[in-house]
Each structure stands twice: as C-alpha cells, then as structure tokens.
Amino acid sequence: MAQWALGRLRYARYGLVSMKRDALYAHGQGDLLESLKLVEEQLKIYPGFPSRYHDLATIQVMLFHFLEDSTNMTVASFQKSQDSAFHAWKAGLKERGRSKSDCDGRMFYSWKEALGFSRSLISLKPVTFGDESCGQNYCDHGAYVATFRDVGLSGDDGIIVDEKECQLFMASAGLAVDLAKNLQLLEIWGDPPAPHGGPRFRWFDVSQGRAPNHGAWETPMLVKKAASLVQFAGTSYFHIITEVFGRLWLLKEAGILDDPETRLILPKPFGFLAAGFKILTQGMGVSANRLIHWTSGPNDVLLRAETLYYANWELPVEFGKDGGHCPTPPFVLLHVRDALGAGFASAPSATEHLRPALVYIKRKQGEMRSVLHGEADFVQELKTWAPSVALEYITFNGQLKPKATARLFGRACIIVGFHGGALVNMLFSPTTCHVFELGFASPFAGHYRFLALVLGLPWARLPLRPDERGLAGVEASLEDPQGALREIKEAMSPMSTSEASLEAAVWKSPKAEHQEL
C-alpha cells in the first residue's frame, strides 16, 4: 500500500511538471531552454520513459547553438528513446503472448549484420554498389532490396517487426524514428500496481485516449507477397522525393514489381507523390488493385506479409554528422533526378518564358521559419536587382503543380529560401544554379547541404540568428541581411548573360554522367 501511494504521489508530481512544460513550450514557440529543463525533470521522475527521451532529443536538436557537446548529447538521447522503447515493446510482446518465452531479440540498424542471424531476413540483393572511395563528406555504400519472411509492418512508419523472435529492423531513418508512436509498449517505467491486484504494468497510450484500446490492433491485414515504401515521414516532401522515390527506383531496378502477384504498400498518392509514382512505374503494369494505401492508424502491427520486399541502404553519412538526417545514397539520388527530370521535361509552350530565374521560396504562414524580419526590404532588393543580371524574379509558395514546379526550378540560376522541404526542388535545377539556404549550422539541419553536394550545385548558408526557440521559431532574423544580399549578388558576377548561357541554364532532360549499373 505504501509503495502504491508513493507511486500516486510521483504520478501527481509528474503531472504538475508536464502542465508547466506544456504551457512554457507553447507548441514550439515558447522558451525551449526552460522547456528542456522541465523535460529533464520529467525524466528524473520517470527514468526510462521513451517518449520523454525523444522529446529531449528533439529540443536538443532545436537548441544546437546553445548547448555544449550538443551533437553527441542529442544522438545519445535518441538512442535512449529507442532502447527504452525496444525493451518496453518486448515486455508487451510477452504480455500478449506473441513472442517466444525468452524474447531475447535484437534491434538491427545495419541489415547486413542481421543477415545470417535473423530467421526472418532471407536475403539482401545488391542493386547499386556505390563507391567505397567516397566523396566529400560522404561514402556511398550502395543499396539493396531485402527479402523478409513472416514479418509485420507496425505503426505509421511501417516498422518491420518479427514479433515471435522479438526483432526490429530499422530502415535508413534509424535513430530519427519515434518508436513509441509505432509500437505497443508496456509501461515498465511506470508505478507499482494497485494494492488490490491487477496487471503489474499499464499499457502506454501514446494517443492519450484518442485511440481505442490504447492503439492496439488485433486484426492486421494478411498478404502473401508485398513490397513496402512505407517509412519515417513518408508523406513529407523531402522524404518523398529523396527516399520514397529512391526506394521505388530500387524496387523497379531489382525487378521486384515485375511479379503481378506482388502488392505495393505506399502512402496514398497525392501531388508530387502521385506524379512521381506515375513516372517511375511507367510501363510496369502496376495496376491500382495491386496497391495498398497506408494511412495513419494504430501504433501496432497493421499488416503481416509472408514475403516482404524492402529497398534500403547503409547510411552515406552517419546520423549526427552534417547531412546525416535520412540521407539517400548519391548514386540513387542521381538516378531519381534523371528519371523525374525526363518525365517532367517537355517542349515549352509558345507563351512560356524561358528567361533564367531567381526563385525566392516563401513558406506557408504559421509554419516554422515562415516569417523573416525585414523580409519586405530583403525581397524588394532581390526584385530590383534580378533584371539587371537578366533574371526573372519569381516567388514560389508551393502552390504550383508538380510539372510546373519542376520546370520552374529547372530554369533557376539562383534559389533563395528558408531551410525547408521546398529546397529539395534543387533536384530539378541545372548545375549552374546557386542555392542560398537561410538556416542554421546544426548538423541535424544539413539535409540540403548534402543534397546540393551530391548534385554538384554551389550552396551557401545565409546564417539566421538563433534565439530561445531554436530552429523551431515561426519568426527568424538574418544575422547580416546586407551581407546576405551581397553574397547572393556576387554569385552572378562571373556568369555571362549571353543568349547561349541563358539557354544552357534552362532545364533539359539530363543524361546520367555517372557510371551505369
């Protein structure tokens, strides 16, 4: 009884800290430095709470500029989140009678290490071999298609699980994934049971009451043979273009989708996802009745497959290093670029302007980094200057259709924009295009530095001034607005504005300049 009462006091103390933290956090627009202290206090009350470790890591990412040894500390927090979630998941499997008795399985980040150890991972078929000599700041270790037997897909991110053997197979997103949102966890970090008996631990309800039965799902879909494109942040623009399309291209190259009995699991196609899917599967006969659309749902196994194919790769950049957030191997990225470029390319209409452009990316109101202090003056300066170097100034707000988007960025000589998904459109730009990213030096924000490096595009960061909201603030300020403008203008100084060079700057369907498979 005494232990139970102490547990209730601990729960109440945790609730008070949580209320204070929520008020202070203010959906990411409050004081993150103080919020960080409160998350640490929550973890002192409940050590081993996976979601709080993930929160801690997320805030540490945002506060990179304010914390000593920030990178190592952040990576460690992500790892603690997944390790504690993995142990809570295994405890839950035993409670549900889904695992073998000892449940001593492992969580695999490198699938090459799992081969031969796991009964459910049958093979890894190389599709690209990469270049072990490496490039600047990255190594392309190649990519493969994995074949699994008798596994499930769990949660929104489609985590590959072998429940009987208590094994998790983490795709290339690795430590970035919040496992607590994808798996059924038993609260082994929780309080003692009530004195009148009952279960030792409660089930963790990540939905906080919104999902019935704490998100458990007892009737997963059963399929004989399927390939999956489901992954972490699989409906986010950056991840669609670089990773989802990269996996689809690999499946195509490996001939997996040639089998009419193989189903394809993917997010419901919309916008660029639908357009790119059509291009990358052209001529393959992937009919609608073969598709399984993955939608947001319970954090449990939603599908079981007798045979599952999944395209994956070893990370070209280690998580925590610059560009290490969900990077796709360069060889795969370049082939995706070529395929999409060829699919979107067409002869311009008689009324279409072919003048090279300066594209300024404007984020949606209310999003992170959507308000730039002094933006009106900054933009006006760009508008006034662009015609003097034969550039057409265009504001891009994300409202164009996929083909029009590709063609616009295909004639960009300069791209200026906040760190955000729209920068991935540099994939369609000529190699003469200069990319200026309004952002921070954090290695966790290096997505587009890595992408520009792979594509061979000149890239520069226009530093933003960090504040207590870190990377998450809606409002942001350039450290040196005039210096930023000078740097943009200097990019055009060596360029010729002759008709020949202007024509060369317009997007044309590229041919791969890298080695053939």
Side-chain angles (χ1 to χ4, degrees):
M1 177 68 80
Q3 290 301 313
W4 174 79
L6 288 173
R8 302 318 298 162
L9 285 172
R10 182 167 70 151
Y11 185 74
R13 191 165 74 252
Y14 175 84
L16 291 172
V17 175
S18 299
M19 290 169 64
K20 186 177 180 181
R21 177 199 155 191
D22 289 345
L24 190 62
Y25 185 71
H27 302 289
Q29 301 310 301
D31 189 332
L32 293 190
L33 284 167
E34 290 301 316
S35 295
L36 182 67
K37 297 176 184 177
L38 292 175
V39 176
E40 291 171 339
E41 190 172 339
Q42 287 178 313
L43 282 167
K44 287 179 182 178
I45 298 171
Y46 283 119
F49 196 154
S51 294
R52 297 297 80 82
Y53 274 120
H54 193 84
D55 291 347
L56 181 68
T58 302
I59 295 177
Q60 288 167 340
V61 166
M62 298 299 177
L63 294 176
F64 168 80
H65 294 83
F66 294 93
L67 305 174
E68 294 183 10
D69 196 26
S70 172
T71 300
N72 290 332
M73 186 166 49
T74 303
V75 171
S77 296
F78 276 120
Q79 187 70 69
K80 287 178 182 177
S81 173
Q82 291 197 348
D83 287 344
S84 55
F86 180 56
H87 290 301
W89 175 68
K90 291 197 295 182
L93 291 179
K94 293 175 71 174
E95 181 79 10
R96 302 170 85 181
R98 293 191 175 188
S99 70
K100 60 183 184 180
S101 58
D102 56 3
C103 200
D104 59 350
R106 289 174 53 187
M107 180 165 46
F108 295 102
Y109 295 95
S110 171
W111 294 2
K112 291 180 180 179
E113 293 180 5
L115 195 62
F117 181 89
S118 169
R119 71 167 187 86
S120 50
L121 179 57
I122 306 303
S123 66
L124 300 177
K125 179 182 179 181
V127 181
T128 71
F129 294 92
D131 181 2
E132 294 296 341
S133 64
C134 303
Q136 180 186 355
N137 300 327
Y138 65 80
C139 287
D140 189 336
H141 303 291
Y144 50 79
V145 172
T147 302
F148 292 92
R149 178 178 59 205
D150 297 329
V151 293
L153 294 180
S154 188
D156 287 357
D157 298 333
I159 308 297
I160 300 174
V161 303
D162 181 341
E163 292 187 308
K164 184 176 181 180
E165 298 294 324
C166 300
Q167 293 176 346
L168 290 182
F169 298 88
M170 303 302 296
S172 55
L175 291 174
V177 178
D178 187 354
L179 288 179
K181 291 183 177 179
N182 289 277
L183 305 171
Q184 284 291 297
L185 308 183
L186 206 59
E187 288 189 1
I188 57 176
W189 62 87
D191 295 315
H196 53 71
R200 172 67 181 88
F201 297 112
R202 296 185 306 171
W203 288 99
F204 176 55
D205 185 1
V206 70
S207 74
Q208 297 183 323
R210 292 187 297 274
N213 197 27
H214 51 81
W217 192 255
E218 302 298 338
T219 56
M221 182 180 184
L222 304 177
V223 296
K224 286 187 175 295
K225 195 185 301 183
S228 174
L229 296 176
V230 183
Q231 63 155 71
F232 168 74
T235 58
S236 169
Y237 191 58
F238 168 80
H239 298 275
I240 288 172
I241 300 295
T242 61
E243 293 180 277
V244 174
F245 286 166
R247 298 188 201 282
L248 180 57
W249 180 81
L250 288 165
L251 291 172
K252 178 181 178 180
E253 290 297 305
I256 299 299
L257 301 179
D258 293 341
D259 182 352
E261 294 184 359
T262 299
R263 309 285 300 274
L264 181 61
I265 310 165
L266 74 165
K268 189 170 183 178
F270 65 95
F272 241 106
L273 180 56
F277 179 80
K278 183 177 180 181
I279 290 170
L280 290 170
T281 58
Q282 189 172 12
M284 296 178 60
V286 182
S287 56
N289 61 0
R290 289 176 61 185
L291 304 181
I292 299 173
H293 294 141
W294 200 259
T295 55
S296 182
N299 53 312
D300 201 355
V301 173
L302 305 177
L303 179 145
R304 298 189 191 278
E306 292 183 15
T307 300
L308 179 75
Y309 302 105
Y310 198 90
N312 199 35
W313 46 78
E314 305 294 309
L315 289 178
V317 182
E318 184 181 339
F319 185 76
K321 294 185 177 179
D322 195 41
H325 177 74
C326 303
T328 301
F331 194 84
V332 177
L333 272 175
L334 293 172
H335 272 289
V336 169
R337 176 202 66 179
D338 292 352
L340 293 179
F344 286 127
S346 62
S349 66
T351 58
E352 185 175 2
H353 296 291
L354 291 180
R355 190 150 53 111
L358 186 162
V359 179
Y360 180 78
I361 297 170
K362 176 71 176 173
R363 289 174 66 86
K364 293 179 183 178
Q365 190 69 30
E367 290 183 342
M368 289 188 292
R369 302 173 301 278
S370 61
V371 177
L372 176 66
H373 286 294
E375 182 178 42
D377 293 337
F378 184 77
V379 167
Q380 186 57 47
E381 184 76 17
L382 293 177
K383 284 182 178 179
T384 302
W385 168 75
S388 70
V389 287
L391 295 181
E392 179 182 1
Y393 173 89
I394 299 174
T395 297
F396 175 75
N397 60 8
Q399 299 302 308
L400 292 178
K401 292 184 177 180
K403 188 172 183 177
T405 297
R407 290 192 61 79
L408 169 60
F409 281 86
R411 59 189 183 96
C413 274
I414 292 179
I415 299 170
V416 181
F418 276 117
H419 172 88
L423 282 175
V424 81
N425 290 314
M426 72 174 83
L427 195 79
F428 304 109
S429 299
T431 54
T432 52
C433 179
H434 289 248
V435 181
F436 293 93
E437 178 180 346
L438 284 69
F440 300 93
S442 167
F444 297 102
H447 324 7
Y448 307 105
R449 292 192 282 275
F450 172 76
L451 184 57
L453 182 66
V454 170
L455 296 174
L457 302 180
W459 172 94
R461 180 172 61 90
L462 305 180
L464 294 174
R465 184 179 295 114
D467 61 20
E468 68 279 358
R469 296 164 303 171
L471 278 65
V474 170
E475 300 177 352
S477 303
L478 282 164
E479 287 186 354
D480 181 6
Q482 290 305 312
L485 287 167
R486 282 195 302 273
E487 190 165 358
I488 294 170
K489 292 177 181 179
E490 286 170 2
M492 286 300 292
S493 58
M495 290 188 180
S496 167
T497 54
S498 68
E499 288 299 319
S501 65
L502 293 182
E503 183 181 354
V506 177
W507 172 268
K508 293 182 179 179
S509 177
K511 294 182 179 178
E513 297 176 356
H514 42 282
Q515 69 180 56
E516 294 296 328
L517 280 173

